[in-house]
């Protein structure tokens, strides 16, 4: 079965600084990988997804993520964060053979002004 | 982007009562999901639904839970009877291809 680990429960960065949110997955096949963002009192919104091809995928609002198969990782990055990026970020994985998506525990991002 | 609507946004009921959570999925989507989130924690899968049938359900999907989508209308989650531990935010999601899920804003259920 698939699983996702987000080792950092909370990350605090200053506005304008670069960001990396870590995600490692467990799945024996080729995974579908996602990053979702959840703003307070809202549902999850898709930031980006990876199925195949270029391992660096671009998402909305300047976010990108890199699929590194050898490391089973799919870290999220942003070159310069804005205070409005403060939210909870969820990494997720699904298999091509079923329809179930597994989420990590989420990382709360706090951007200080 | 595509919008999934959930009605109501909040629901408060007494333990033992029945509750129905409604989800209006994206119009051309065929796959439907319910997730449960407690106190901003992990999103936990409950059930997915396709072509009028439950495809997969987790151990959190107790016997008191049921889902249906009668005649292409709302996709509903019914809990009967409710228990205190059912208090959570329930998120509906839909997908056209079962690859990318679009989530609603959630229904916060409080069981007293």
């Amino acid at each position: 079965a698939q699983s996702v680990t987000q080792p950092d429960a909370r990350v605090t960065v200053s506005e304008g600084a670069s960001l990396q949110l870590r995600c490692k997955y467990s799945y024996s096949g080729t995974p579908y990988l996602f990053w979702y963002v959840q703003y307070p009192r809202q549902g999850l919104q898709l930031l980006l997804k990876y199925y195949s091809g270029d391992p660096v995928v671009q998402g909305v609002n300047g976010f990108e993520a890199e699929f590194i198969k050898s490391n089973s990782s799919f870290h999220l990055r942003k070159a310069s964060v804005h205070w409005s990026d403060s939210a909870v970020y969820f990494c997720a994985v699904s298999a091509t053979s079923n329809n179930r998506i597994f989420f990590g525990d989420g990382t709360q991002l706090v951007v200080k002004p | 982007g595509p919008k999934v609507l959930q009605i109501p946004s909040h629901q408060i009921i007494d333990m033992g009562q029945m509750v129905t959570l409604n989800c209006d999925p994206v119009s051309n989507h065929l796959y439907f999901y319910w997730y449960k989130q407690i106190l901003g924690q992990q999103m936990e899968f409950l059930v997915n639904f396709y072509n009028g049938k439950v495809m997969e359900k987790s151990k959190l999907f107790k016997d008191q839970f049921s889902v249906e989508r009668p005649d292409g209308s709302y996709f509903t989650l019914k809990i009967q009877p409710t228990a205190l531990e059912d208090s959570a935010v329930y998120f509906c999601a839909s997908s056209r291809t079962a690859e990318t899920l679009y989530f609603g804003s959630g229904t916060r259920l409080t069981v007293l």
Side-chain angles (χ1 to χ4, degrees), chain A residues 81-99:
Chain A
V81 295
H82 187 265
W83 64 266
S84 60
D85 293 325
S86 295
V88 180
Y89 291 78
F90 289 93
C91 182
V93 63
S94 73
T96 56
S97 61
N98 63 40
N99 302 312

Side-chain angles (χ1 to χ4, degrees), chain A residues 30-34 48-59 63-69 73-75 77:
Chain A
T30 301
Y32 284 23
L33 295 162
F34 308 84
L48 49 79
K49 60 189 178 186
Y50 170 81
Y51 297 155
S52 64
D54 188 340
V56 179
V57 291
Q58 305 296 322
F63 285 95
E64 68 174 29
E66 184 173 7
F67 169 58
I68 303 180
K69 187 173 183 178
S73 68
F74 190 58
H75 302 330
R77 302 189 296 240

Side-chain angles (χ1 to χ4, degrees), chain B residues 12-109:
Chain B
I12 301 174
I13 59 170
D14 292 323
M15 183 177 63
Q17 285 189 318
M18 181 194 75
V19 68
T20 300
L21 308 183
N22 296 302
C23 172
D24 187 9
V26 180
S27 61
N28 63 344
H29 285 188
L30 303 174
Y31 297 85
F32 311 109
Y33 308 77
W34 283 103
Y35 280 80
K36 179 180 180 181
Q37 187 181 43
I38 296 177
L39 292 176
Q41 296 175 14
Q42 184 181 38
M43 296 281 285
E44 297 190 274
F45 171 82
L46 285 176
V47 65
N48 55 16
F49 189 87
Y50 171 75
N51 199 25
K53 291 182 287 192
V54 170
M55 292 193 300
E56 186 180 2
K57 54 187 179 182
S58 72
K59 61 182 182 229
L60 295 178
F61 194 79
K62 305 180 294 184
D63 291 342
Q64 298 90 324
F65 287 32
S66 62
V67 291
E68 63 176 356
R69 192 185 186 215
D71 299 324
S73 60
Y74 287 155
F75 176 52
T76 63
L77 173 66
K78 183 185 293 185
I79 308 174
Q80 181 179 26
T82 51
L84 294 177
E85 61 265 26
D86 296 331
S87 293
V89 180
Y90 290 83
F91 289 97
C92 172
S94 71
S95 175
R96 188 172 62 86
T97 61
E99 291 175 348
T100 301
L101 271 59
Y102 294 87
F103 285 84
S105 298
T107 293
R108 182 177 296 276
L109 176 65

